[in-house]
Amino acid sequence: MNIVVCIKQVPDSTHIRVHPVTNTIMRQGVPAIINPYDLFAIEEALRLKDQFGGKVTVLTMGPPQAEPALRKAMSYGCDEAVLVTDKVFAGADTLATSYVLACAIRTLDAESPVDLVFTGKQTIDGDTAQVGPGIAKRLEMELLTYVSRIVSVDRQARRIRVERRAEGGVQVLETRLPALITMLEGSNEIRFGSAPDMFRAARAEIRVWDRNAAGIDDIKKVGLKGSPTIVSRVFGPTPRAEKAKQIPFDPQTPEAAAQALLEQVLAEVPKVKKELDGRKNAATEGASHE
Amino acid sequence: MSNAKTDKPIKKRKIKLDEALLAYRGVWVFVESERGHVHPVSWELMGQARQLADQLGVEVCGVVMGAPGPALEAQCQAAFAYGADRCYRVASPVLADYRNVPYTQALTDLVNAHKPEILLLGATTLGRDLAGSVATTLKTGLTADCTELAIDPEDRCLLSTRPTFGGSLLCTIVTLNYRPQMATVRHRVMPMPEPQPERSGLIIDFDPGLIETDIVTKVLEFIPDEQRDKPQLPYAEIIVSGGKGLGKAENFKLVWDLAHVLGAEVGASRAAIHAGWISADRQVGQTGKTVRPALYIAAGISGAIQHRVGMEASDCIIAVNNDPNAPIFDFAHYAIVGDCQQILPALARNFGTYLGRH
Ligand SMILES: Cc1cc2nc3c(=O)[nH]c(=O)nc-3n(C[C@H](O)[C@H](O)[C@H](O)COP(=O)(O)OP(=O)(O)OC[C@H]3O[C@@H](n4cnc5c(N)ncnc54)[C@H](O)[C@@H]3O)c2cc1C
Ligand SMILES: Nc1ncnc2c1ncn2[C@@H]1O[C@H](COP(=O)(O)O)[C@@H](O)[C@H]1O
């Protein structure tokens, strides 16, 4: 099978700190990682390769600095890597991003037909879950979102059966290849790369494509120009008009604080009093049944 | 959160619409139903749509889709009760179960035929799947997981606000010269409006012209979730949440104990979940559940924006934190500065006494 996995390099959110005075993100020294949700896509693609053979290509659109993310993906066992990078891509929203990725996948497809495209459920920085559906629509591929399990693949018939997380349950869907799958988190666990894969990843060639190599046919659809949305304002959340009421706390007498809090809340927030009193009655009722 | 202090305009761009786009009018809500059951987020959105439409002086329209039958009629009537003036009813056997391709096609065609200026969907698995597909097909802007929607009175544009990455910041996103303006909002972010059963409206049937044999993807089965063991956080009226400040896994028991006394659900910050102290389905916040209980007790939670947007609609927030400068005290109603290992058991005892539990 010929599989493409879209991954994004993102700042590791666990290392992000907010400047206490300016309220801005302090990016210095924040390590970059593969978007954690994309690891589930990589693992699922590798499992299909283990089962059916073929190759897995990782694809990212990003700055040249995104290369380590691709090498990391290769260390898990991905065979090839493509970095689509061009100054004109800067400022892209999801519509422009999905356009570039769709063009790149079409270019890969022309080299050797693609059976499956994987994306993560969402990124931790963009957090929109839109890029996957966007690529599928642009390539007119069948779209399977929130897939928790690939049940079976019939390569002869070119059909795939999956379980998809829906609101009130799980949908079992069957469709035709090629298809695009957005993989649900928690559905598998990324493997440890083997030593040979790690060596290979360190030295392997990464294909770096600019807009021409990626097969972008309309420059007006990329980057800021190709984005229908813009950020018009960034601001800090407003503190509530009233400051929080301080309940004095003395470590010697914690009961006093708890008592004071309970009294104040009961007196001042009727909704909470009603909720608690409801439970009081329920509790006595429960007790009388015993 | 609209009139913030640290207001930093990035660019003030005049949005001038093409002649053809001026024809886009009205605020639409996609009424999401799976297996005949309307997702409550649709009615929350209807309430929000009503406010936006009144400001714009336009109509609110519900979009109801599914297999032909009385259920669709009932959904239209409910949509009117929650604020819709009009409903587009799209009935086809092909739409019996949610599938991306026929739903995308039907909604895209409907938008092209009747041209709304704003289209709102719930940020559910279905809504996100559909919104992303429709926005790409229509080549228009979509803002995901908004926490606030408003209208710019100057140019009638939709102002969609959502948290930005990593920092304690929010950003407002606008759609340029493209229509409709699309946004998704998560369940429980907007308040549920009071239904007005006497309201009525106009039902307009729209034939999507779908043929089953054209649709490649088939639904083989639907396995409903077992509700029993799943936490019902979004609907809980009392929630006790624990964060990284609890220090270690064993201390999370203090949260469970207090919740038990109160008959409350247990929530957590993402940091507590990452630490492995509690299961991921209890996460409250931007990438977890949105809650709006009567009482929310936050123990050892700093109050990062991603946590805040998931719980700040609570009627009463009690924060316990040993750092007097923790951001959570900016939006909590009651503050106890101190060690939660001491305070949680004291609360459990006092609430327990009040509730007659020992
Ligand atoms: C894209 C993205 C999405 C996110 N989504 C979510 C989300 O949905 N939900 C979420 O919660 N987070 C989310 N986060 C993470 C969020 O930014 C914070 O990192 C997280 O909420 C912090 O959790 P915390 O408050 O438990 O931990 P910390 O920030 O480490 O805070 C611990 C607090 O405990 C206090 N403390 C320490 N010891 C004690 C003690 N003994 N007694 C009392 N208090 C004590 C400290 O003063 C501190 O304020 C997201 C982040 C990103 C980037
Ligand atoms: N710049 C990018 N390059 C490659 N893949 C991406 C990029 N942005 C998003 N994706 C993929 O699309 C998924 C959803 O991203 P998002 O819509 O940003 O939440 C991610 O999990 C990735 O698999």
Side-chain angles (χ1 to χ4, degrees):
Chain A
M1 289 186 87
N2 188 15
I3 305 173
V4 177
V5 184
C6 299
I7 65 167
K8 188 178 182 190
Q9 190 181 51
V10 296
D12 185 348
S13 68
T14 54
H15 287 79
I16 285 192
R17 289 287 169 267
V18 178
H19 193 281
V21 178
T22 59
N23 219 1
T24 50
I25 300 168
M26 303 195 290
R27 285 183 186 273
Q28 297 94 313
V30 176
I33 53 170
I34 296 178
N35 174 39
Y37 291 102
D38 298 348
L39 297 176
F40 303 105
I42 292 174
E43 176 60 28
E44 206 61 31
L46 291 174
R47 287 185 186 186
L48 289 175
K49 186 183 86 163
D50 292 345
Q51 200 179 343
F52 298 108
K55 70 171 178 191
V56 175
T57 305
V58 271
L59 167 68
T60 193
M61 176 190 100
Q65 295 85 319
E67 190 189 304
L70 294 172
R71 291 206 186 277
K72 182 80 191 166
M74 290 177 100
S75 78
Y76 293 123
C78 296
D79 303 276
E80 291 178 15
V82 179
L83 170 63
V84 191
T85 187
D86 199 309
K87 284 205 172 61
V88 294
F89 297 160
D93 72 1
T94 52
L95 197 70
T97 302
S98 68
Y99 175 70
V100 169
L101 293 172
C103 288
I105 293 167
R106 212 175 271 128
T107 305
L108 287 169
D109 186 68
E111 289 175 5
S112 104
V114 172
D115 297 307
L116 270 177
V117 178
F118 279 95
T119 72
K121 184 183 89 170
Q122 66 197 63
T123 51
I124 60 166
D125 58 349
D127 189 25
T128 73
Q130 272 156 228
V131 170
I135 297 170
K137 287 294 131 181
R138 290 182 180 282
L139 295 174
E140 294 181 20
M141 270 185 184
E142 292 299 319
L143 169 65
L144 303 166
T145 50
Y146 306 102
V147 169
S148 53
R149 189 164 85 93
I150 295 181
V151 181
S152 62
V153 178
D154 182 338
R155 290 171 72 210
Q156 258 65 54
R158 299 195 54 70
R159 298 199 72 79
I160 183 166
R161 187 177 291 190
V162 304
E163 289 180 2
R164 166 179 186 270
R165 169 111 305 268
E167 277 311 304
V170 172
Q171 264 187 335
V172 184
L173 295 173
E174 190 175 283
T175 197
R176 145 188 98 192
L177 299 177
L180 184 142
I181 291 178
T182 81
M183 208 63 207
L184 194 68
E185 74 274 18
S187 34
N188 58 39
E189 207 171 321
I190 190 73
R191 61 193 59 194
F192 285 105
S194 68
D197 280 330
M198 293 206 192
F199 284 125
R200 192 178 50 84
R203 274 174 278 126
E205 185 217 355
I206 301 234
R207 304 172 76 183
V208 180
W209 289 357
D210 64 4
R211 59 179 182 268
N212 295 320
I216 306 284
D217 43 35
D218 187 350
I219 196 81
K220 286 195 294 297
K221 291 188 183 157
V222 306
L224 200 57
K225 259 207 208 109
S227 300
T229 58
I230 56 157
V231 176
S232 75
R233 201 159 81 94
V234 177
F235 56 102
T238 10
R240 283 185 341 106
E242 276 175 69
K243 276 273 311 153
K245 294 208 172 102
Q246 292 287 333
I247 310 292
F249 173 72
D250 177 352
Q252 305 306 319
T253 53
E255 302 301 325
Q259 178 75 38
L261 175 72
L262 177 61
E263 276 166 19
Q264 276 202 39
V265 170
L266 287 173
E268 294 170 357
V269 195
K271 212 166 160 188
V272 172
K273 181 168 183 345
K274 190 172 144 239
E275 213 38 68
L276 289 175
D277 288 351
R279 277 152 219 252
K280 204 169 169 177
N281 301 337
T284 23
E285 259 171 45
S288 66
H289 284 298
E290 272 169 29
Chain B
M1 287 195 185
S2 44
N3 41 10
K5 263 195 201 146
T6 44
D7 199 342
K8 291 178 227 136
I10 288 195
K11 32 185 118 74
K12 184 87 194 156
R13 201 180 307 184
K14 262 262 171 319
I15 294 166
K16 206 172 160 332
L17 288 186
D18 289 347
E19 202 61 40
L21 296 181
L22 292 172
Y24 283 73
R25 282 280 155 143
V27 182
W28 285 15
V29 174
F30 175 78
V31 178
E32 166 176 341
S33 71
E34 210 152 16
R35 320 241 109 201
H37 175 78
V38 176
H39 197 293
V41 71
S42 303
W43 305 141
E44 295 163 10
L45 285 172
M46 202 63 88
Q48 174 70 50
R50 186 70 263 165
Q51 289 176 17
L52 299 174
D54 288 345
Q55 223 175 317
L56 289 165
V58 296
E59 285 193 332
V60 172
C61 303
V63 178
V64 166
M65 290 191 186
L72 289 190
E73 166 83 30
Q75 287 177 21
C76 291
Q77 297 307 333
F80 298 141
Y82 282 106
D85 301 302
R86 193 192 269 259
C87 273
Y88 292 105
R89 177 169 57 189
V90 189
S92 165
V94 181
L95 300 173
D97 277 300
Y98 177 74
R99 282 177 295 174
N100 176 268
V101 167
Y103 268 73
T104 302
Q105 190 187 321
L107 187 54
T108 308
D109 289 350
L110 186 67
V111 166
N112 284 329
H114 294 282
K115 303 190 181 349
E117 59 197 301
I118 294 172
L119 172 56
L120 307 178
L121 299 94
T124 58
T125 54
L126 190 163
R128 283 175 152 213
D129 181 286
L130 181 58
S133 301
V134 169
T136 309
T137 312
L138 293 168
K139 307 280 183 293
T140 192
L142 164 62
T143 308
D145 288 7
C146 301
T147 52
E148 189 185 306
L149 297 172
I151 300 291
D152 185 338
E154 260 172 50
D155 53 12
R156 296 175 64 88
C157 279
L158 179 67
L159 304 171
S160 309
T161 296
R162 73 192 303 267
T164 60
F165 173 63
S168 279
L169 295 172
L170 296 149
C171 65
T172 300
I173 293 177
V174 295
T175 296
L176 299 167
N177 187 20
Y178 303 81
R179 287 296 178 270
Q181 307 161 86
M182 293 179 61
T184 62
V185 179
R186 299 181 43 190
H187 180 36
R188 298 292 266 170
V189 168
M190 307 290 178
M192 177 65 88
E194 248 346 286
Q196 297 168 269
E198 70 287 355
R199 283 195 87 233
S200 67
L202 186 66
I203 298 179
I204 298 159
D205 281 302
F206 181 81
D207 178 7
L210 297 166
I211 300 164
E212 183 57 44
T213 47
D214 291 345
I215 311 299
V216 175
T217 301
K218 306 291 175 198
V219 180
L220 304 181
E221 202 185 336
F222 187 89
I223 309 159
D225 288 334
E226 295 261 355
Q227 286 296 326
R228 272 172 293 143
D229 293 338
K230 294 244 161 187
Q232 292 292 312
L233 270 180
Y235 296 103
E237 285 297 346
I238 304 183
I239 294 173
V240 185
S241 279
K244 200 65 195 289
L246 284 160
K248 54 180 184 206
E250 297 85 272
N251 290 344
F252 222 91
K253 185 171 175 299
L254 303 176
V255 171
W256 285 102
D257 289 347
L258 177 57
H260 187 72
V261 165
L262 289 168
E265 275 295 347
V266 169
S269 72
R270 196 168 80 167
I273 282 153
H274 276 184
W277 299 346
I278 185 163
S279 66
D281 55 357
R282 301 219 174 243
Q283 182 178 320
V284 172
Q286 188 194 350
T287 44
K289 304 278 190 306
T290 305
V291 300
R292 30 173 64 234
L295 177 60
Y296 189 92
I297 302 178
I301 293 178
S302 60
I305 190 80
Q306 294 88 2
H307 190 79
R308 176 174 177 172
V309 294
M311 45 64 83
E312 69 178 330
S314 310
D315 292 296
C316 177
I317 298 168
I318 297 173
V320 180
N321 196 305
N322 63 2
D323 173 6
N325 297 317
I328 191 138
F329 292 134
D330 290 343
F331 57 99
H333 302 90
Y334 295 93
I336 303 187
V337 178
D339 186 347
C340 52
Q341 288 185 53
Q342 276 191 300
I343 294 165
L344 287 175
L347 288 177
R349 280 189 293 271
N350 280 272
F351 278 97
T353 307
Y354 180 73
L355 293 171
R357 295 172 203 184
H358 302 281

